[in-house]
Amino acid sequence: MILFWKREKPLAKALEFLERALAKVKISKNIVESSKGKVDKMLILSAFSGFPVSSRAMASVYFSSALGDVKKAIKILNKTSKSMYDSGISEIVSSLKSLEKEENAEAFERKLEAIINKLRFFVRV
């Protein structure tokens, strides 16, 4: 039973990283969509504080942070798949690696949601 517990803990941690990445991608999309065709309020407000940051730059920060979370999940899943010899997890890892090259936020979000659903099959939360 302890072996099962050790298996589940890293998978749950990887799932947590991927869910966090999904939230960051959604925030990034929301920032971009809310600033379309309008005056960049974030730029104006941040300029008053002395450090001007545009909405697009902030969205880029969130998106790159999401990619960092995906990389952390890949690292965890690589270790787990080597110790378990599980082809399902290695398939998820290859899907995540292909996701790293995705630049479109819509496609990134869709594919990440599908990968999270696959990983939930292995993790009983």
Side-chain angles (χ1 to χ4, degrees), residues 41-53:
K41 291 178 184 176
M42 187 177 293
L43 179 62
I44 294 170
L45 292 174
S46 61
F48 282 122
S49 70
F51 189 71
V53 178

Side-chain angles (χ1 to χ4, degrees), residues 29-122:
K29 279 181 40 185
N30 191 15
I31 289 171
V32 170
E33 288 176 8
S34 67
S35 67
K36 280 185 180 176
K38 298 179 183 175
V39 175
D40 196 350
K41 291 178 184 176
M42 187 177 293
L43 179 62
I44 294 170
L45 292 174
S46 61
F48 282 122
S49 70
F51 189 71
V53 178
S54 70
S55 295
R56 294 258 180 205
M58 186 58 72
S60 176
V61 168
Y62 273 105
F63 194 78
S64 63
S65 179
L67 284 175
D69 286 342
V70 168
K71 289 178 183 178
K72 289 175 188 174
I74 288 172
K75 188 175 180 180
I76 292 170
L77 291 173
N78 271 333
K79 288 180 183 177
T80 307
S81 68
K82 288 178 185 174
S83 65
M84 292 176 19
Y85 302 109
D86 197 339
S87 62
I89 293 177
S90 59
E91 178 184 320
I92 290 172
V93 170
S94 65
S95 297
L96 285 172
K97 286 183 180 178
S98 69
L99 186 65
E100 284 182 318
K101 298 170 187 162
E102 187 67 51
E103 293 181 9
N104 184 356
E106 298 278 335
F108 188 93
E109 181 183 6
R110 222 174 324 113
K111 291 177 183 178
L112 186 57
E113 284 176 341
I115 292 169
I116 288 172
N117 288 333
K118 285 181 188 177
L119 187 58
R120 281 189 181 136
F121 175 76
F122 292 99

